[in-house]
mmCIF file of all heavy atoms in Angstrom:
data_model
loop_
_atom_site.group_PDB
_atom_site.id
_atom_site.type_symbol
_atom_site.label_atom_id
_atom_site.label_comp_id
_atom_site.label_asym_id
_atom_site.label_seq_id
_atom_site.Cartn_x
_atom_site.Cartn_y
_atom_site.Cartn_z
ATOM 1 N N ASP A 124 10.677 11.274 -2.398
ATOM 2 C CA ASP A 124 9.244 11.269 -2.674
ATOM 3 C C ASP A 124 8.480 10.809 -1.439
ATOM 4 O O ASP A 124 9.064 10.553 -0.368
ATOM 5 C CB ASP A 124 8.922 10.408 -3.908
ATOM 6 C CG ASP A 124 9.149 8.914 -3.688
ATOM 7 O OD1 ASP A 124 9.322 8.476 -2.526
ATOM 8 O OD2 ASP A 124 9.157 8.166 -4.687
ATOM 9 N N GLU A 125 7.193 10.692 -1.589
ATOM 10 C CA GLU A 125 6.316 10.406 -0.450
ATOM 11 C C GLU A 125 6.613 9.075 0.221
ATOM 12 O O GLU A 125 6.418 8.924 1.431
ATOM 13 C CB GLU A 125 4.859 10.434 -0.941
ATOM 14 C CG GLU A 125 3.820 10.163 0.125
ATOM 15 C CD GLU A 125 2.428 10.069 -0.452
ATOM 16 O OE1 GLU A 125 2.298 10.016 -1.697
ATOM 17 O OE2 GLU A 125 1.473 10.024 0.340
ATOM 18 N N VAL A 126 7.074 8.101 -0.542
ATOM 19 C CA VAL A 126 7.311 6.775 0.039
ATOM 20 C C VAL A 126 8.786 6.515 0.312
ATOM 21 O O VAL A 126 9.172 5.385 0.625
ATOM 22 C CB VAL A 126 6.718 5.648 -0.843
ATOM 23 C CG1 VAL A 126 5.212 5.791 -0.936
ATOM 24 C CG2 VAL A 126 7.350 5.632 -2.228
ATOM 25 N N GLY A 127 9.622 7.558 0.205
ATOM 26 C CA GLY A 127 11.001 7.427 0.655
ATOM 27 C C GLY A 127 12.037 7.169 -0.410
ATOM 28 O O GLY A 127 13.213 6.939 -0.080
ATOM 29 N N ASN A 128 11.664 7.198 -1.705
ATOM 30 C CA ASN A 128 12.662 7.102 -2.764
ATOM 31 C C ASN A 128 13.401 8.435 -2.842
ATOM 32 O O ASN A 128 12.803 9.468 -3.139
ATOM 33 C CB ASN A 128 11.989 6.808 -4.108
ATOM 34 C CG ASN A 128 11.421 5.414 -4.178
ATOM 35 O OD1 ASN A 128 12.154 4.432 -4.112
ATOM 36 N ND2 ASN A 128 10.101 5.326 -4.304
ATOM 37 N N HIS A 129 14.692 8.419 -2.612
ATOM 38 C CA HIS A 129 15.455 9.656 -2.519
ATOM 39 C C HIS A 129 15.980 10.126 -3.867
ATOM 40 O O HIS A 129 16.580 9.348 -4.614
ATOM 41 C CB HIS A 129 16.636 9.484 -1.557
ATOM 42 C CG HIS A 129 16.266 9.668 -0.124
ATOM 43 N ND1 HIS A 129 15.484 8.781 0.563
ATOM 44 C CD2 HIS A 129 16.565 10.675 0.755
ATOM 45 C CE1 HIS A 129 15.311 9.207 1.806
ATOM 46 N NE2 HIS A 129 15.956 10.357 1.944
ATOM 47 N N LEU A 130 15.756 11.407 -4.164
ATOM 48 C CA LEU A 130 16.458 12.066 -5.256
ATOM 49 C C LEU A 130 17.868 12.416 -4.803
ATOM 50 O O LEU A 130 18.850 12.254 -5.528
ATOM 51 C CB LEU A 130 15.733 13.347 -5.668
ATOM 52 C CG LEU A 130 14.624 13.245 -6.717
ATOM 53 C CD1 LEU A 130 13.938 14.592 -6.862
ATOM 54 C CD2 LEU A 130 15.170 12.781 -8.061
ATOM 55 N N ILE A 131 17.960 12.927 -3.593
ATOM 56 C CA ILE A 131 19.239 13.258 -2.966
ATOM 57 C C ILE A 131 19.151 12.816 -1.512
ATOM 58 O O ILE A 131 18.069 12.514 -0.995
ATOM 59 C CB ILE A 131 19.539 14.769 -3.044
ATOM 60 C CG1 ILE A 131 18.383 15.574 -2.440
ATOM 61 C CG2 ILE A 131 19.816 15.196 -4.474
ATOM 62 C CD1 ILE A 131 18.640 17.074 -2.359
ATOM 63 N N SER A 132 20.288 12.776 -0.845
ATOM 64 C CA SER A 132 20.281 12.385 0.561
ATOM 65 C C SER A 132 19.825 13.544 1.447
ATOM 66 O O SER A 132 19.875 14.714 1.042
ATOM 67 C CB SER A 132 21.676 11.935 0.992
ATOM 68 O OG SER A 132 22.565 13.039 1.031
ATOM 69 N N ASP A 133 19.410 13.213 2.638
ATOM 70 C CA ASP A 133 19.038 14.246 3.609
ATOM 71 C C ASP A 133 20.219 15.178 3.875
ATOM 72 O O ASP A 133 20.052 16.400 3.994
ATOM 73 C CB ASP A 133 18.592 13.595 4.921
ATOM 74 C CG ASP A 133 17.324 12.788 4.771
ATOM 75 O OD1 ASP A 133 16.626 12.959 3.763
ATOM 76 O OD2 ASP A 133 17.029 11.971 5.669
ATOM 77 N N ASP A 134 21.404 14.595 3.954
ATOM 78 C CA ASP A 134 22.591 15.397 4.230
ATOM 79 C C ASP A 134 22.882 16.379 3.092
ATOM 80 O O ASP A 134 23.271 17.533 3.336
ATOM 81 C CB ASP A 134 23.806 14.485 4.442
ATOM 82 C CG ASP A 134 23.737 13.739 5.767
ATOM 83 O OD1 ASP A 134 22.974 14.160 6.657
ATOM 84 O OD2 ASP A 134 24.450 12.722 5.905
ATOM 85 N N MET A 135 22.710 15.919 1.846
ATOM 86 C CA MET A 135 22.960 16.796 0.695
ATOM 87 C C MET A 135 22.033 18.003 0.722
ATOM 88 O O MET A 135 22.462 19.136 0.461
ATOM 89 C CB MET A 135 22.778 16.022 -0.614
ATOM 90 C CG MET A 135 23.854 14.985 -0.874
ATOM 91 S SD MET A 135 23.499 13.962 -2.326
ATOM 92 C CE MET A 135 23.743 15.157 -3.653
ATOM 93 N N LEU A 136 20.772 17.771 1.056
ATOM 94 C CA LEU A 136 19.825 18.886 1.113
ATOM 95 C C LEU A 136 20.190 19.841 2.232
ATOM 96 O O LEU A 136 20.201 21.070 2.053
ATOM 97 C CB LEU A 136 18.399 18.359 1.294
ATOM 98 C CG LEU A 136 17.307 19.433 1.394
ATOM 99 C CD1 LEU A 136 17.268 20.282 0.122
ATOM 100 C CD2 LEU A 136 15.942 18.788 1.647
#
Side-chain angles (χ1 to χ4, degrees):
D124 69 13
E125 180 186 11
V126 297
N128 290 296
H129 277 69
L130 272 174
I131 55 175
S132 70
D133 295 344
D134 288 342
M135 290 173 70
L136 179 60

